[in-house]
Amino acid sequence: MSLHPSLQTYADAWTQSVSAISELVSPLAEGEWNWATPCPGWSVRDVVSHVIGLDCEMLGDPRPIHTLPRDLYHVQTEGQRYMEVQVDVRRHHTAPEMTSELEYTIIRRSRQLRNESRDPSHKIRGPLGTEQTLELATRMRAFDVWVHEQDLRTTLRKPGNLDSQGALVARDLLLHGLPKVVAKKAAAPANSAVVLDVSGPVEFLRTVRVDADGHATVDSAPSLGPLATLSLDWETYFRLACGRITYASVADRIKVEGDHGLGEAILREFAVTP
């Protein structure tokens, strides 16, 4: 195996999730590909198109030359427009076309990962002409396919893999965005702490600490006097953090202790994905 050890976890997580996606969609009837998913504006077909498209970009395939229609109201930003091209270009593909392209893309990407000998710090092309390290790009693919696997599972009512390797990658990546939510979006006061107590298949306790200058960090040490404590289950946590649900729709599943105003401000601004 030539894959660098720091990439192996992400490669394994991607493999598990993308294989699950293939298994989920292979038996679907044509009409089921049009079912709406929790990902705003995207159907089952759109989610799978996105997975295929980004993995094709990881393979170095040229992006499609395609003009988006003007009536895609869920597309508001440059980043969303970038992602939508790979989706819209496949909107009229049939179920057999979708499953065969997905299977072929998985074969090609699996081979690429098996033969990957570049250093994790090697720079590759990222979205919107940016540059990313190979390690970051591989981590983001593991995160992305796991989240979209969960989108499909929700729509198809086939829960699973909530504690898979992809789930752990998602946990770490979503926690990375938490300090900005607490300190900037929710404006937690200086010299305060907020505790997140998450239960379920992925269980963890984290403290976000805001220093005297208003900068926030997150760690696993408990706080003796947090300003607010938020207790929720893992599925609610990642769906909120990924913008799949709103706080108002799941308020009964979350316990807020301490400063309720701050706790609710954090939960209303909880989404960290673009």
Side-chain angles (χ1 to χ4, degrees):
M1 177 65 70
S2 59
L3 192 61
H4 193 281
S6 70
L7 301 179
Q8 190 66 57
T9 297
Y10 307 131
D12 291 344
W14 173 88
T15 300
Q16 186 176 15
S17 289
V18 83
S19 299
I21 288 173
S22 182
E23 290 174 15
L24 286 166
V25 302
S26 291
L28 296 184
E30 193 69 52
E32 292 171 313
W33 285 83
N34 299 321
W35 287 359
T37 72
C39 189
W42 281 2
S43 65
V44 169
R45 177 184 285 98
D46 296 339
V47 166
V48 176
S49 295
H50 170 73
V51 170
I52 291 169
L54 286 197
D55 274 312
C56 284
E57 292 186 25
M58 288 291 287
L59 285 158
D61 294 357
R63 277 175 56 79
I65 298 172
H66 180 73
T67 302
L68 292 176
R70 295 177 180 271
D71 60 349
L72 298 176
Y73 299 114
H74 62 282
V75 179
Q76 303 288 334
T77 67
E78 276 304 306
Q80 289 170 339
R81 275 189 280 276
Y82 180 95
M83 295 300 178
E84 198 73 19
V85 168
Q86 293 279 14
V87 171
D88 193 65
V89 79
R90 294 175 172 84
R91 281 214 159 97
H92 300 293
H93 288 197
T94 64
E97 287 172 331
M98 292 299 300
T99 53
S100 61
E101 187 181 13
L102 177 62
E103 289 167 10
Y104 182 51
T105 304
I106 291 172
I107 289 169
R108 292 176 66 211
R109 272 286 282 151
S110 298
R111 183 183 300 125
Q112 181 189 40
L113 286 167
R114 280 197 306 273
N115 296 329
E116 184 60 78
S117 58
R118 294 174 293 183
D119 188 85
S121 62
H122 178 82
K123 293 291 182 69
I124 64 172
R125 184 186 70 190
L128 290 168
T130 59
E131 277 197 339
Q132 293 180 323
T133 64
L134 178 61
E135 183 170 0
L136 176 59
T138 309
R139 180 191 307 141
M140 293 304 296
R141 291 306 302 130
F143 168 73
D144 191 59
V145 293
W146 182 81
V147 172
H148 290 307
E149 176 198 344
Q150 295 304 319
D151 287 335
L152 296 173
R153 287 187 180 281
T154 299
T155 295
L156 302 174
R157 297 180 181 176
K158 292 186 176 180
N161 281 353
L162 284 171
D163 59 352
S164 65
Q165 287 174 293
L168 300 181
V169 173
R171 174 200 62 193
D172 293 344
L173 199 145
L174 293 173
L175 281 170
H176 184 72
L178 198 54
K180 182 179 179 181
V181 169
V182 172
K184 303 299 182 187
K185 293 184 177 180
N191 299 311
S192 65
V194 174
V195 170
L196 270 290
D197 186 359
V198 178
S199 59
V202 176
E203 190 175 55
F204 55 92
L205 187 141
R206 294 291 187 275
T207 302
V208 180
R209 303 176 197 276
V210 184
D211 66 17
D213 297 320
H215 299 128
T217 56
V218 61
D219 61 56
S220 58
S223 170
L224 296 178
L227 198 55
T229 299
L230 313 179
S231 302
L232 63 166
D233 65 274
W234 165 236
E235 189 169 358
T236 302
Y237 180 94
F238 83 75
R239 292 196 190 288
L240 267 177
C242 293
R244 278 12 184 206
I245 52 177
T246 62
Y247 168 53
S249 69
V250 291
D252 60 327
R253 298 176 61 177
I254 304 172
K255 182 179 180 182
V256 179
E257 296 176 283
D259 187 330
H260 278 253
L262 175 61
E264 292 177 352
I266 292 167
L267 291 163
R268 285 193 298 268
E269 299 288 345
F270 211 68
V272 297
T273 55

